[in-house]
Amino acid sequence: MNILLMLASGIGAVVLLTVVACFVFSRQILLRWYRVRKAPFNDPLRMQMLKLAIDAGMPAAELYFVESPVVNSFSIGSRKNGSIVLTTGAIKRLSKEELSCMMVYEIAHLMSGRRLEGIAAVLAGALTMLPIAALWGAVFTGFGQEYDPAPKLIKFFVTSLLAPPAALLIQITSRDSVKYESDKYTALLCGPDTVIRMLSKLSDPERWDVNPSHASLFIANPLTEDEIYNTLFRTRPSIPDRIKRVEEVEY
Amino acid sequence: MIPKWMCALGISFISYMSILFVIIVVVTFQARDFDLRRTLVITAAYMAFMVVYFAVLFIVFKRKIDAPK
């Protein structure tokens, strides 16, 4: 009984520490998770972002880049202390105006505050990482190789247990109205045509293997719906729906 | 056609039921006796929690995922 009590208090302490760390360091954890690099001081995109932030009347957010061929971006933090991350794919494939649109969208998101979403993403992200740990645990304890059915089944079983609470956390902290408002704000500032061009480049068949719990932070859903549990993390309207709404904005 | 997220919840429900089976097996082995009444109490408490938990999941996902975007 004593051992069980000690085990329970140990697990409780670890969970409590994780929650506190997520509250305090959610932004830093997410930036490290994707191994982002900070934009150089004199980077033209950073200058452009500073100008956009001043125009929007908010303190300058920090700009980061992440290596990925996919056209996507995400933002985390609060209005006062925010970070915008652009993929290298977006920098290569979007025009200057479209990149501006992308940054305006992220600034609009930061203006409405994303701290709670960031904390939820880190907490839920820790849960959705456990199935991968279970897969490798199964591999190292002799259940077969990573492509064998047994470790895959163990991973699927752990996913089926942990994905619903993680998705619940993500769904209750994501606000649909903010997403529509950010699209509208971007269309008003950059013009609907540029936003539509940018959005159509986001509906790229190429997908990025990100943690499902972080998908709500991205400008476009980076997940494929081939995996059944990814559907629980869908927080964004489809790109055609967003384009339709942007077309209705009077510029 | 059942939406994918509902299928996912269905599979999760079955997985959670397998945990109940494991709990009953562990309790029975620890007591070295199968007590039907104790098993029924454990099952009733676990199922009550599961029903509430899945009802919350269903309502939230229905409103958030199925809602016209």
PDB file of all heavy atoms in Angstrom, chain A residues 40-63:
ATOM      1  N   PRO A  40      17.555  36.910 -38.449  1.00  0.00           N
ATOM      2  CA  PRO A  40      18.638  37.855 -38.168  1.00  0.00           C
ATOM      3  C   PRO A  40      18.089  39.275 -37.980  1.00  0.00           C
ATOM      4  O   PRO A  40      17.012  39.594 -38.494  1.00  0.00           O
ATOM      5  CB  PRO A  40      19.514  37.780 -39.422  1.00  0.00           C
ATOM      6  CG  PRO A  40      19.124  36.536 -40.113  1.00  0.00           C
ATOM      7  CD  PRO A  40      17.720  36.234 -39.729  1.00  0.00           C
ATOM      8  N   PHE A  41      18.851  40.092 -37.262  1.00  0.00           N
ATOM      9  CA  PHE A  41      18.400  41.436 -36.901  1.00  0.00           C
ATOM     10  C   PHE A  41      18.008  42.263 -38.139  1.00  0.00           C
ATOM     11  O   PHE A  41      17.016  42.962 -38.139  1.00  0.00           O
ATOM     12  CB  PHE A  41      19.498  42.150 -36.108  1.00  0.00           C
ATOM     13  CG  PHE A  41      19.086  43.502 -35.631  1.00  0.00           C
ATOM     14  CD1 PHE A  41      18.182  43.633 -34.578  1.00  0.00           C
ATOM     15  CD2 PHE A  41      19.569  44.649 -36.242  1.00  0.00           C
ATOM     16  CE1 PHE A  41      17.772  44.879 -34.144  1.00  0.00           C
ATOM     17  CE2 PHE A  41      19.168  45.906 -35.809  1.00  0.00           C
ATOM     18  CZ  PHE A  41      18.271  46.022 -34.754  1.00  0.00           C
ATOM     19  N   ASN A  42      18.813  42.146 -39.209  1.00  0.00           N
ATOM     20  CA  ASN A  42      18.552  42.990 -40.391  1.00  0.00           C
ATOM     21  C   ASN A  42      17.820  42.241 -41.505  1.00  0.00           C
ATOM     22  O   ASN A  42      17.887  42.632 -42.664  1.00  0.00           O
ATOM     23  CB  ASN A  42      19.868  43.571 -40.911  1.00  0.00           C
ATOM     24  CG  ASN A  42      20.878  42.472 -41.186  1.00  0.00           C
ATOM     25  OD1 ASN A  42      20.620  41.309 -40.889  1.00  0.00           O
ATOM     26  ND2 ASN A  42      22.008  42.838 -41.758  1.00  0.00           N
ATOM     27  N   ASP A  43      17.145  41.172 -41.165  1.00  0.00           N
ATOM     28  CA  ASP A  43      16.416  40.394 -42.167  1.00  0.00           C
ATOM     29  C   ASP A  43      15.260  41.239 -42.730  1.00  0.00           C
ATOM     30  O   ASP A  43      14.504  41.837 -41.964  1.00  0.00           O
ATOM     31  CB  ASP A  43      15.866  39.120 -41.508  1.00  0.00           C
ATOM     32  CG  ASP A  43      15.336  38.142 -42.531  1.00  0.00           C
ATOM     33  OD1 ASP A  43      14.171  38.305 -42.960  1.00  0.00           O
ATOM     34  OD2 ASP A  43      16.095  37.237 -42.904  1.00  0.00           O
ATOM     35  N   PRO A  44      15.096  41.292 -44.072  1.00  0.00           N
ATOM     36  CA  PRO A  44      14.016  42.116 -44.636  1.00  0.00           C
ATOM     37  C   PRO A  44      12.630  41.696 -44.151  1.00  0.00           C
ATOM     38  O   PRO A  44      11.757  42.546 -43.950  1.00  0.00           O
ATOM     39  CB  PRO A  44      14.142  41.900 -46.146  1.00  0.00           C
ATOM     40  CG  PRO A  44      15.362  41.108 -46.390  1.00  0.00           C
ATOM     41  CD  PRO A  44      15.926  40.652 -45.104  1.00  0.00           C
ATOM     42  N   LEU A  45      12.446  40.388 -43.947  1.00  0.00           N
ATOM     43  CA  LEU A  45      11.129  39.916 -43.468  1.00  0.00           C
ATOM     44  C   LEU A  45      10.848  40.402 -42.050  1.00  0.00           C
ATOM     45  O   LEU A  45       9.701  40.705 -41.695  1.00  0.00           O
ATOM     46  CB  LEU A  45      11.090  38.384 -43.488  1.00  0.00           C
ATOM     47  CG  LEU A  45      10.684  37.729 -44.805  1.00  0.00           C
ATOM     48  CD1 LEU A  45      10.821  36.231 -44.715  1.00  0.00           C
ATOM     49  CD2 LEU A  45       9.264  38.110 -45.189  1.00  0.00           C
ATOM     50  N   ARG A  46      11.911  40.475 -41.253  1.00  0.00           N
ATOM     51  CA  ARG A  46      11.758  40.955 -39.870  1.00  0.00           C
ATOM     52  C   ARG A  46      11.350  42.432 -39.876  1.00  0.00           C
ATOM     53  O   ARG A  46      10.479  42.851 -39.117  1.00  0.00           O
ATOM     54  CB  ARG A  46      13.062  40.751 -39.099  1.00  0.00           C
ATOM     55  CG  ARG A  46      12.942  41.052 -37.634  1.00  0.00           C
ATOM     56  CD  ARG A  46      14.204  40.749 -36.870  1.00  0.00           C
ATOM     57  NE  ARG A  46      14.075  41.246 -35.505  1.00  0.00           N
ATOM     58  CZ  ARG A  46      14.430  42.467 -35.120  1.00  0.00           C
ATOM     59  NH1 ARG A  46      14.945  43.312 -35.988  1.00  0.00           N
ATOM     60  NH2 ARG A  46      14.262  42.852 -33.866  1.00  0.00           N
ATOM     61  N   MET A  47      12.007  43.170 -40.781  1.00  0.00           N
ATOM     62  CA  MET A  47      11.678  44.605 -40.907  1.00  0.00           C
ATOM     63  C   MET A  47      10.213  44.776 -41.333  1.00  0.00           C
ATOM     64  O   MET A  47       9.489  45.616 -40.808  1.00  0.00           O
ATOM     65  CB  MET A  47      12.595  45.268 -41.951  1.00  0.00           C
ATOM     66  CG  MET A  47      14.059  45.232 -41.586  1.00  0.00           C
ATOM     67  SD  MET A  47      14.328  46.114 -40.036  1.00  0.00           S
ATOM     68  CE  MET A  47      15.914  45.540 -39.571  1.00  0.00           C
ATOM     69  N   GLN A  48       9.811  43.930 -42.302  1.00  0.00           N
ATOM     70  CA  GLN A  48       8.438  43.976 -42.798  1.00  0.00           C
ATOM     71  C   GLN A  48       7.448  43.660 -41.666  1.00  0.00           C
ATOM     72  O   GLN A  48       6.420  44.318 -41.527  1.00  0.00           O
ATOM     73  CB  GLN A  48       8.322  42.924 -43.900  1.00  0.00           C
ATOM     74  CG  GLN A  48       7.139  43.105 -44.836  1.00  0.00           C
ATOM     75  CD  GLN A  48       7.124  42.003 -45.877  1.00  0.00           C
ATOM     76  OE1 GLN A  48       8.128  41.342 -46.134  1.00  0.00           O
ATOM     77  NE2 GLN A  48       5.980  41.797 -46.484  1.00  0.00           N
ATOM     78  N   MET A  49       7.812  42.663 -40.857  1.00  0.00           N
ATOM     79  CA  MET A  49       6.948  42.259 -39.754  1.00  0.00           C
ATOM     80  C   MET A  49       6.845  43.370 -38.700  1.00  0.00           C
ATOM     81  O   MET A  49       5.761  43.642 -38.178  1.00  0.00           O
ATOM     82  CB  MET A  49       7.511  40.971 -39.137  1.00  0.00           C
ATOM     83  CG  MET A  49       6.522  40.139 -38.396  1.00  0.00           C
ATOM     84  SD  MET A  49       6.406  40.581 -36.714  1.00  0.00           S
ATOM     85  CE  MET A  49       8.070  40.378 -36.195  1.00  0.00           C
ATOM     86  N   LEU A  50       7.979  44.053 -38.441  1.00  0.00           N
ATOM     87  CA  LEU A  50       7.978  45.171 -37.478  1.00  0.00           C
ATOM     88  C   LEU A  50       7.020  46.258 -37.952  1.00  0.00           C
ATOM     89  O   LEU A  50       6.237  46.800 -37.167  1.00  0.00           O
ATOM     90  CB  LEU A  50       9.381  45.746 -37.330  1.00  0.00           C
ATOM     91  CG  LEU A  50      10.391  44.916 -36.535  1.00  0.00           C
ATOM     92  CD1 LEU A  50      11.738  45.594 -36.535  1.00  0.00           C
ATOM     93  CD2 LEU A  50       9.905  44.725 -35.098  1.00  0.00           C
ATOM     94  N   LYS A  51       7.074  46.549 -39.248  1.00  0.00           N
ATOM     95  CA  LYS A  51       6.220  47.588 -39.824  1.00  0.00           C
ATOM     96  C   LYS A  51       4.738  47.197 -39.685  1.00  0.00           C
ATOM     97  O   LYS A  51       3.904  47.998 -39.282  1.00  0.00           O
ATOM     98  CB  LYS A  51       6.588  47.779 -41.304  1.00  0.00           C
ATOM     99  CG  LYS A  51       5.972  48.988 -41.949  1.00  0.00           C
ATOM    100  CD  LYS A  51       6.415  49.106 -43.396  1.00  0.00           C
ATOM    101  CE  LYS A  51       5.562  50.113 -44.138  1.00  0.00           C
ATOM    102  NZ  LYS A  51       4.166  49.732 -44.276  1.00  0.00           N
ATOM    103  N   LEU A  52       4.461  45.933 -39.993  1.00  0.00           N
ATOM    104  CA  LEU A  52       3.071  45.443 -39.894  1.00  0.00           C
ATOM    105  C   LEU A  52       2.572  45.504 -38.456  1.00  0.00           C
ATOM    106  O   LEU A  52       1.420  45.876 -38.207  1.00  0.00           O
ATOM    107  CB  LEU A  52       2.979  43.999 -40.408  1.00  0.00           C
ATOM    108  CG  LEU A  52       3.197  43.783 -41.900  1.00  0.00           C
ATOM    109  CD1 LEU A  52       3.345  42.306 -42.222  1.00  0.00           C
ATOM    110  CD2 LEU A  52       2.051  44.387 -42.702  1.00  0.00           C
ATOM    111  N   ALA A  53       3.462  45.164 -37.505  1.00  0.00           N
ATOM    112  CA  ALA A  53       3.069  45.184 -36.090  1.00  0.00           C
ATOM    113  C   ALA A  53       2.792  46.611 -35.646  1.00  0.00           C
ATOM    114  O   ALA A  53       1.824  46.867 -34.922  1.00  0.00           O
ATOM    115  CB  ALA A  53       4.164  44.551 -35.241  1.00  0.00           C
ATOM    116  N   ILE A  54       3.621  47.550 -36.091  1.00  0.00           N
ATOM    117  CA  ILE A  54       3.410  48.959 -35.731  1.00  0.00           C
ATOM    118  C   ILE A  54       2.078  49.436 -36.318  1.00  0.00           C
ATOM    119  O   ILE A  54       1.285  50.090 -35.647  1.00  0.00           O
ATOM    120  CB  ILE A  54       4.603  49.830 -36.205  1.00  0.00           C
ATOM    121  CG1 ILE A  54       5.846  49.480 -35.380  1.00  0.00           C
ATOM    122  CG2 ILE A  54       4.281  51.315 -36.092  1.00  0.00           C
ATOM    123  CD1 ILE A  54       7.148  49.980 -35.943  1.00  0.00           C
ATOM    124  N   ASP A  55       1.818  49.059 -37.594  1.00  0.00           N
ATOM    125  CA  ASP A  55       0.547  49.441 -38.238  1.00  0.00           C
ATOM    126  C   ASP A  55      -0.652  48.876 -37.465  1.00  0.00           C
ATOM    127  O   ASP A  55      -1.707  49.506 -37.390  1.00  0.00           O
ATOM    128  CB  ASP A  55       0.493  48.914 -39.684  1.00  0.00           C
ATOM    129  CG  ASP A  55       1.450  49.687 -40.589  1.00  0.00           C
ATOM    130  OD1 ASP A  55       1.942  50.746 -40.146  1.00  0.00           O
ATOM    131  OD2 ASP A  55       1.718  49.227 -41.718  1.00  0.00           O
ATOM    132  N   ALA A  56      -0.468  47.666 -36.932  1.00  0.00           N
ATOM    133  CA  ALA A  56      -1.578  47.032 -36.197  1.00  0.00           C
ATOM    134  C   ALA A  56      -1.681  47.561 -34.769  1.00  0.00           C
ATOM    135  O   ALA A  56      -2.621  47.235 -34.052  1.00  0.00           O
ATOM    136  CB  ALA A  56      -1.367  45.522 -36.182  1.00  0.00           C
ATOM    137  N   GLY A  57      -0.685  48.352 -34.347  1.00  0.00           N
ATOM    138  CA  GLY A  57      -0.704  48.945 -33.009  1.00  0.00           C
ATOM    139  C   GLY A  57      -0.392  47.953 -31.909  1.00  0.00           C
ATOM    140  O   GLY A  57      -0.964  48.015 -30.821  1.00  0.00           O
ATOM    141  N   MET A  58       0.492  47.013 -32.200  1.00  0.00           N
ATOM    142  CA  MET A  58       0.894  46.072 -31.144  1.00  0.00           C
ATOM    143  C   MET A  58       2.416  45.975 -31.056  1.00  0.00           C
ATOM    144  O   MET A  58       3.111  46.290 -32.021  1.00  0.00           O
ATOM    145  CB  MET A  58       0.291  44.679 -31.379  1.00  0.00           C
ATOM    146  CG  MET A  58       0.805  43.941 -32.588  1.00  0.00           C
ATOM    147  SD  MET A  58       0.278  42.231 -32.563  1.00  0.00           S
ATOM    148  CE  MET A  58       1.691  41.453 -31.806  1.00  0.00           C
ATOM    149  N   PRO A  59       2.946  45.585 -29.876  1.00  0.00           N
ATOM    150  CA  PRO A  59       4.398  45.459 -29.763  1.00  0.00           C
ATOM    151  C   PRO A  59       4.918  44.432 -30.763  1.00  0.00           C
ATOM    152  O   PRO A  59       4.215  43.482 -31.094  1.00  0.00           O
ATOM    153  CB  PRO A  59       4.608  44.966 -28.331  1.00  0.00           C
ATOM    154  CG  PRO A  59       3.322  45.129 -27.646  1.00  0.00           C
ATOM    155  CD  PRO A  59       2.251  45.172 -28.661  1.00  0.00           C
ATOM    156  N   ALA A  60       6.139  44.662 -31.249  1.00  0.00           N
ATOM    157  CA  ALA A  60       6.697  43.775 -32.273  1.00  0.00           C
ATOM    158  C   ALA A  60       6.838  42.349 -31.757  1.00  0.00           C
ATOM    159  O   ALA A  60       7.338  42.134 -30.658  1.00  0.00           O
ATOM    160  CB  ALA A  60       8.052  44.297 -32.708  1.00  0.00           C
ATOM    161  N   ALA A  61       6.386  41.416 -32.572  1.00  0.00           N
ATOM    162  CA  ALA A  61       6.564  39.997 -32.213  1.00  0.00           C
ATOM    163  C   ALA A  61       7.929  39.552 -32.745  1.00  0.00           C
ATOM    164  O   ALA A  61       8.498  40.192 -33.623  1.00  0.00           O
ATOM    165  CB  ALA A  61       5.459  39.174 -32.856  1.00  0.00           C
ATOM    166  N   GLU A  62       8.424  38.470 -32.175  1.00  0.00           N
ATOM    167  CA  GLU A  62       9.713  37.945 -32.669  1.00  0.00           C
ATOM    168  C   GLU A  62       9.442  37.035 -33.866  1.00  0.00           C
ATOM    169  O   GLU A  62       8.463  36.290 -33.870  1.00  0.00           O
ATOM    170  CB  GLU A  62      10.389  37.144 -31.569  1.00  0.00           C
ATOM    171  CG  GLU A  62      10.995  38.024 -30.493  1.00  0.00           C
ATOM    172  CD  GLU A  62      11.567  37.187 -29.367  1.00  0.00           C
ATOM    173  OE1 GLU A  62      12.412  36.337 -29.642  1.00  0.00           O
ATOM    174  OE2 GLU A  62      11.143  37.400 -28.226  1.00  0.00           O
ATOM    175  N   LEU A  63      10.320  37.103 -34.861  1.00  0.00           N
ATOM    176  CA  LEU A  63      10.129  36.292 -36.068  1.00  0.00           C
ATOM    177  C   LEU A  63      11.124  35.131 -36.071  1.00  0.00           C
ATOM    178  O   LEU A  63      12.304  35.301 -35.785  1.00  0.00           O
ATOM    179  CB  LEU A  63      10.326  37.162 -37.315  1.00  0.00           C
ATOM    180  CG  LEU A  63      10.016  36.477 -38.645  1.00  0.00           C
ATOM    181  CD1 LEU A  63       8.534  36.174 -38.785  1.00  0.00           C
ATOM    182  CD2 LEU A  63      10.459  37.344 -39.816  1.00  0.00           C
TER     183      LEU A  63
END
